[in-house]
Amino acid sequence: LASTPSPSQPSEPESESELVQEWPGLKTWRAKGVDRGRGWSDGIAGRPDPSLPSPKAEEWEGVALASSLVGCALQVLHTACPYGKAALTHRAWCAYNEG
């Protein structure tokens, strides 16, 4: 006999697809590619300027990206510097979009 799950005993998912929850806008966001209009704010104008490089971006240009998107994600997760995280994320997303 199967018991009815209680609040302290959640039911098991019936299929693997129930475990995966995708953000509804993900496919649309990915289809847009790299937004070259995004940039860093100089802190004065308050609007992003695509011509401004990200702070310390040049320090991260020499870092080789992993060969897979998952590997790039691990690089980002293992990077302590917030500027490095941003630079690596941007480079990985550009590489992903370029194929």
Side-chain angles (χ1 to χ4, degrees), residues 19-83:
L19 295 172
V20 178
Q21 293 182 353
E22 189 174 276
W23 169 48
L26 182 61
K27 288 183 177 130
T28 304
W29 178 76
R30 281 184 176 163
K32 290 180 181 179
V34 177
D35 184 354
R36 301 286 180 198
R38 290 191 181 265
W40 291 88
S41 172
D42 60 8
I44 298 168
R47 293 188 320 245
D49 181 353
S51 68
L52 291 175
S54 64
K56 302 182 183 182
E58 66 280 351
E59 295 176 23
W60 295 92
E61 287 176 8
V63 175
L65 286 176
S67 60
S68 70
L69 196 55
V70 170
C72 289
L74 287 172
Q75 277 183 291
V76 172
L77 289 172
H78 289 118
T79 300
C81 173
Y83 297 123

Side-chain angles (χ1 to χ4, degrees), residues 5 9-15 18-19:
Q9 180 188 10
S11 64
E12 299 262 337
E14 292 188 23
S15 69
E18 289 180 4
L19 295 172

